[in-house]
Amino acid sequence: MSATQALQISQARPFIDHVKQHHPLVHCITNDVVQNFTANVLLAIGASPAMVIAKQEVASFVKIANSLLINVGTLDSNSAESMLLAAASAQKNHIPWVLDPVAVGPALAYRTEIVHQLIGFKPTVIRGNASEILALNGDNSSSKGPDGQDSTESALNAAKQLAQKHQTIVSITGDVDYITDGKQTYSITGGDIALTKITGTGCSLSAMVAAFIAGSTNTLLATASACFMMKKAGELGNKQQGLGTYAVSLIDQLSLFNPSQI
Amino acid sequence: MSATQALQISQARPFIDHVKQHHPLVHCITNDVVQNFTANVLLAIGASPAMVIAKQEVASFVKIANSLLINVGTLDSNSAESMLLAAASAQKNHIPWVLDPVAVGPALAYRTEIVHQLIGFKPTVIRGNASEILALNGDNSSSKGPDGQDSTESALNAAKQLAQKHQTIVSITGDVDYITDGKQTYSITGGDIALTKITGTGCSLSAMVAAFIAGSTNTLLATASACFMMKKAGELGNKQQGLGTYAVSLIDQLSLFNPSQI
Amino acid sequence: MSATQALQISQARPFIDHVKQHHPLVHCITNDVVQNFTANVLLAIGASPAMVIAKQEVASFVKIANSLLINVGTLDSNSAESMLLAAASAQKNHIPWVLDPVAVGPALAYRTEIVHQLIGFKPTVIRGNASEILALNGDNSSSKGPDGQDSTESALNAAKQLAQKHQTIVSITGDVDYITDGKQTYSITGGDIALTKITGTGCSLSAMVAAFIAGSTNTLLATASACFMMKKAGELGNKQQGLGTYAVSLIDQLSLFNPSQI
């Protein structure tokens, strides 16, 4: 496998601009903790979020969306059924889609089984933390919930294997982000530890990835560009006044984001 | 049909004060994206929100509420059942209620069917964007999700027809708000484009309308007054620091709202 | 029954530090209005929130969590089933757990029945407002929804009786907080009326209590310390700019909380 390249700002810029200009309609089936934050993050970057969840509606709505996000954070039997219908429709209709396998692993067998079924519908991108990617690849992980404790580097081989096995792109985010299709890999450093101390930054990054891959011809770079934008906005966020202000400031920074000033 | 009148601040003031003084209990069955924002908006204007959703509880809780909001944004089979029970109870017990028909239209047949059933229980007010009102009236719309693209003026005739047909009040909000009972129409200009770039402003306005019509003898003016308050708060919100701050500032402005200073 | 003692800051400090140092994993099954706020409050105090709700997952996830929160605010048939499974697992596996009986009372018979079933699984702590505690004890209350109108002092005897009957700790929060095991009682004054004008402060306090009792040998003091921290953060919050800013500032203050500076 080839070496890892650091993503350059000049590579991310066209993808950031593309979302701002095209306002992709992103169909989100995500968890109940982060729905509001996710919608505001998508609006801040210029995308148009739509949370449609009924099993009667998801398959047809996917067809008019520009991309789909499925996040299993607060999965239950009803939402699992909708997710499987939506993923099948995305595959059939060639709508790019992102899978966020929140907290998969041996401790949570039900979602792990559903996530493996979802992967059968060929997600365009899988984005998770190191613990989740290790678990998906069948490797050992120290995860005990949505906040994984493994380093992203420790999961890079698992990510590459997973990407090759399922012909998808895998993004592991954390201390250093890695985005790989199993052959080519981009890395992104920076960000801020505060991003892990407010809820929904990983989940809403997955939604950003869905916005970035909509209508894009280079899915690997589009995914990496979304990760880049979140890491840089996280650096720019106001950390002086506490975590409440930081969460607000993160959306501020995404909405004001200007690649020329990075 | 008569001419449209611009709503005056002096007309809105008594309704704004009425909510602050009487703290109406607003029973909300709304979508999962905006529940927190809606509750905070209602508290900010002086109302008392209560999100009660179980099919076992909604019909009896409607009876002790001062008004009801039904918003179909993240409708599924379970919530549809609760909505129909709540609407039936509201009609039977003469509790005023607001219907927010989020994203109705040909692309989403299931919710459109449920919304038509809900209209059978005679909502006091229907509040939507232009695309939703056009779709409800059977006219063509360009909508492809919750964020409609039609101008409110293009939907005014549809609103008047819908109001007369169902003996209800229809509020179309957007660039210019129109509030009509099919004969008399109020318009409200102003507001801010930023209101469309954060999630939940339309949905929480519907909740505000529910608070305003509780115990009111002039439902048309009460509805228009809620729309007025949201538009003015939207103008006063802090737009300089980005969209995260703007969302927070909107609730600030609603909580500090003083009609004497507009 | 013995006299009530005012909680001292020196008593609360070790419990506040314990959460910051041990990052307890708090399994939350809570209402849809406050999930995001609750997760951010838990992260702000140093805990690790996990919202796992599927009936297929809750019983096994409780076992790896350090504590459990069950809040019935937006209960429905599905979540009730998960709550009962989780509570049973908590009792069986000796995982401490908190019950927040939102809006129980004669107006809402379904949740009241479920809450009584949940109490059968011996919650470590029950936290509610005065109206809820009165209702749980079978006394009259003026409650008509989640925001009770009774004074906490009026519910103190009910709290003591409830605590003794179920061998649990009862925390009534409001103008003055009381935390009792039926014999010993702590009181906490202060706080700010603004805490009642934003949504989720009571619900997220219940989650804080769950974090504080995780791994603690003195559950009564741990519970009182969580209430103390919320009241003091509420006093420190910025009230000048309106209720939107206040909600953000409350999380800021929790994240920056330094008992040495109180």
Side-chain angles (χ1 to χ4, degrees):
Chain A
M1 295 178 187
S2 74
T4 296
Q5 294 174 269
L7 187 81
Q8 303 302 311
I9 168 70
S10 60
Q11 295 173 292
R13 192 178 303 169
F15 294 93
I16 293 168
D17 291 342
H18 189 266
V19 172
K20 277 196 210 301
Q21 285 157 15
H22 291 84
H23 312 300
L25 179 63
V26 182
H27 181 181
C28 301
I29 306 179
T30 189
N31 73 69
D32 290 335
V33 186
V34 303
Q35 296 221 43
N36 186 272
F37 193 73
T38 301
N40 276 328
V41 162
L42 286 175
L43 287 164
I45 66 169
S48 180
M51 277 67 175
V52 171
I53 60 162
K55 64 182 180 211
Q56 295 91 340
E57 295 186 333
V58 289
S60 60
F61 194 70
V62 164
K63 290 192 231 177
I64 62 165
N66 298 115
S67 60
L68 168 70
L69 164 71
I70 293 181
N71 171 309
V72 300
T74 52
L75 187 79
D76 65 12
S77 312
N78 289 324
S79 55
E81 189 179 353
S82 291
M83 288 173 189
L84 291 164
L85 290 166
S89 178
Q91 184 186 24
K92 186 178 167 197
N93 296 288
H94 308 290
I95 305 296
W97 74 282
V98 177
L99 175 63
D100 188 331
V102 178
V104 285
L108 290 164
Y110 175 65
R111 74 180 58 206
T112 303
E113 166 60 25
I114 298 293
V115 162
H116 283 294
Q117 290 181 34
L118 287 167
I119 289 176
F121 296 112
K122 300 221 162 284
T124 316
V125 181
I126 300 173
R127 193 218 61 84
N129 62 33
S131 303
E132 291 154 357
I133 300 305
L134 286 167
L136 271 192
N137 200 46
D139 300 333
N140 283 330
S141 140
S142 59
S143 179
K144 294 206 308 174
D147 299 312
Q149 282 94 30
D150 300 291
S151 81
T152 51
E153 200 184 352
S154 72
L156 181 51
N157 278 333
K160 289 177 182 174
Q161 289 168 20
L162 208 58
Q164 292 204 319
K165 183 173 172 194
H166 299 291
Q167 290 176 280
T168 185
I169 286 161
V170 176
S171 163
I172 350 169
T173 60
D175 44 350
V176 178
D177 293 353
Y178 294 101
I179 301 93
T180 184
D181 61 6
K183 288 167 291 204
Q184 213 177 342
T185 304
Y186 290 104
S187 66
I188 307 164
T189 55
D192 195 288
I193 187 73
L195 285 167
T196 65
K197 296 183 177 168
I198 58 172
T199 196
T201 52
C203 298
S204 57
L205 171 54
S206 295
M208 285 174 60
V209 171
F212 274 64
I213 64 174
S216 171
T217 51
N218 189 333
T219 313
L220 184 64
L221 261 182
T223 301
S225 299
C227 298
F228 177 90
M229 188 180 189
M230 180 60 98
K231 259 200 175 335
K232 294 304 156 190
E235 289 173 14
L236 294 165
N238 174 359
K239 288 167 281 283
Q240 306 310 311
Q241 291 174 255
L243 292 173
T245 296
Y246 183 71
V248 174
S249 179
L250 184 65
I251 292 181
D252 282 345
Q253 294 300 331
L254 289 168
S255 72
L256 301 172
F257 201 81
N258 185 346
S260 319
Q261 295 177 347
I262 302 294
Chain B
M1 294 179 189
S2 73
T4 296
Q5 293 174 270
L7 187 81
Q8 304 301 312
I9 168 70
S10 58
Q11 296 173 291
R13 191 177 304 170
F15 295 94
I16 294 168
D17 291 342
H18 189 267
V19 171
K20 277 196 211 300
Q21 285 156 15
H22 291 83
H23 311 301
L25 179 64
V26 183
H27 181 180
C28 301
I29 306 178
T30 189
N31 73 69
D32 290 336
V33 186
V34 303
Q35 296 221 43
N36 187 271
F37 193 73
T38 300
N40 276 328
V41 162
L42 286 176
L43 287 164
I45 66 169
S48 180
M51 277 67 176
V52 171
I53 60 162
K55 66 183 179 206
Q56 295 91 339
E57 295 186 333
V58 289
S60 60
F61 195 70
V62 164
K63 290 192 231 176
I64 62 165
N66 299 115
S67 61
L68 168 71
L69 164 72
I70 293 181
N71 172 309
V72 300
T74 52
L75 188 78
D76 65 13
S77 312
N78 289 324
S79 54
E81 190 180 352
S82 291
M83 288 173 189
L84 291 164
L85 290 166
S89 177
Q91 183 185 24
K92 187 179 166 196
N93 296 288
H94 309 288
I95 304 295
W97 73 282
V98 177
L99 175 63
D100 188 331
V102 178
V104 285
L108 289 165
Y110 175 64
R111 73 181 58 205
T112 304
E113 166 60 25
I114 298 292
V115 162
H116 282 295
Q117 290 180 36
L118 287 167
I119 290 177
F121 296 111
K122 299 222 162 283
T124 316
V125 181
I126 300 172
R127 193 218 61 85
N129 63 33
S131 303
E132 290 154 357
I133 300 304
L134 286 166
L136 272 192
N137 200 46
D139 300 332
N140 282 330
S141 139
S142 58
S143 179
K144 294 206 307 174
D147 299 312
Q149 281 94 30
D150 300 291
S151 80
T152 51
E153 198 184 353
S154 72
L156 182 52
N157 278 334
K160 289 178 181 172
Q161 288 167 21
L162 209 58
Q164 293 204 319
K165 184 173 170 194
H166 298 292
Q167 290 176 280
T168 185
I169 287 162
V170 176
S171 164
I172 351 170
T173 61
D175 44 348
V176 178
D177 294 352
Y178 294 102
I179 301 93
T180 184
D181 60 7
K183 289 166 290 201
Q184 213 178 340
T185 303
Y186 290 103
S187 67
I188 306 165
T189 56
D192 195 287
I193 187 73
L195 285 167
T196 66
K197 295 183 178 167
I198 57 173
T199 197
T201 52
C203 298
S204 57
L205 172 54
S206 294
M208 285 174 60
V209 171
F212 274 65
I213 64 174
S216 171
T217 51
N218 189 333
T219 313
L220 184 64
L221 261 182
T223 302
S225 298
C227 298
F228 178 90
M229 189 181 188
M230 180 60 98
K231 259 199 174 339
K232 294 305 155 188
E235 289 173 15
L236 294 166
N238 174 359
K239 288 167 281 282
Q240 305 310 311
Q241 291 174 254
L243 292 173
T245 296
Y246 183 70
V248 173
S249 179
L250 184 63
I251 292 181
D252 282 345
Q253 294 301 332
L254 289 168
S255 71
L256 300 173
F257 201 81
N258 184 345
S260 319
Q261 295 177 347
I262 300 294
Chain C
M1 296 180 190
S2 72
T4 297
Q5 293 173 270
L7 187 81
Q8 304 301 312
I9 168 70
S10 59
Q11 295 174 293
R13 192 177 304 169
F15 295 93
I16 294 168
D17 291 342
H18 188 267
V19 171
K20 277 196 211 301
Q21 286 156 15
H22 291 84
H23 311 301
L25 179 63
V26 182
H27 181 181
C28 300
I29 306 179
T30 188
N31 74 69
D32 290 336
V33 186
V34 303
Q35 297 219 44
N36 187 272
F37 193 73
T38 300
N40 276 329
V41 162
L42 286 176
L43 287 164
I45 65 169
S48 180
M51 277 68 176
V52 171
I53 59 162
K55 65 181 180 212
Q56 295 91 339
E57 295 186 334
V58 289
S60 60
F61 194 70
V62 164
K63 291 191 230 176
I64 62 165
N66 299 116
S67 60
L68 168 70
L69 164 71
I70 293 181
N71 172 309
V72 299
T74 53
L75 187 80
D76 65 11
S77 312
N78 289 324
S79 55
E81 190 180 351
S82 291
M83 288 173 189
L84 291 164
L85 290 165
S89 178
Q91 183 186 24
K92 187 178 166 197
N93 296 288
H94 308 291
I95 305 295
W97 74 282
V98 177
L99 174 64
D100 188 332
V102 178
V104 286
L108 290 165
Y110 175 64
R111 73 180 58 205
T112 303
E113 166 59 24
I114 298 293
V115 162
H116 283 295
Q117 290 181 35
L118 287 166
I119 290 177
F121 296 111
K122 301 225 162 280
T124 316
V125 180
I126 300 172
R127 193 218 61 84
N129 62 35
S131 303
E132 291 154 358
I133 300 305
L134 286 166
L136 271 192
N137 200 45
D139 300 332
N140 283 330
S141 139
S142 58
S143 179
K144 295 206 308 175
D147 299 312
Q149 281 95 29
D150 301 290
S151 79
T152 50
E153 200 185 351
S154 72
L156 182 52
N157 278 333
K160 289 178 182 174
Q161 289 167 19
L162 208 58
Q164 292 204 320
K165 183 172 172 195
H166 299 291
Q167 290 176 281
T168 185
I169 286 162
V170 176
S171 163
I172 350 169
T173 60
D175 44 349
V176 178
D177 293 354
Y178 294 102
I179 301 93
T180 185
D181 61 6
K183 288 168 290 202
Q184 212 178 342
T185 303
Y186 289 104
S187 67
I188 307 165
T189 55
D192 195 287
I193 187 74
L195 285 168
T196 66
K197 295 183 178 168
I198 58 173
T199 197
T201 52
C203 298
S204 57
L205 171 55
S206 295
M208 285 173 60
V209 171
F212 274 65
I213 64 174
S216 171
T217 51
N218 188 333
T219 313
L220 183 65
L221 261 182
T223 302
S225 299
C227 298
F228 177 90
M229 189 181 189
M230 180 60 98
K231 259 200 174 337
K232 294 305 155 188
E235 289 173 15
L236 295 165
N238 173 359
K239 288 167 281 282
Q240 305 310 312
Q241 291 175 255
L243 292 173
T245 297
Y246 183 70
V248 173
S249 179
L250 184 64
I251 292 181
D252 282 344
Q253 293 301 331
L254 289 169
S255 72
L256 301 173
F257 201 80
N258 184 346
S260 320
Q261 295 178 346
I262 301 294

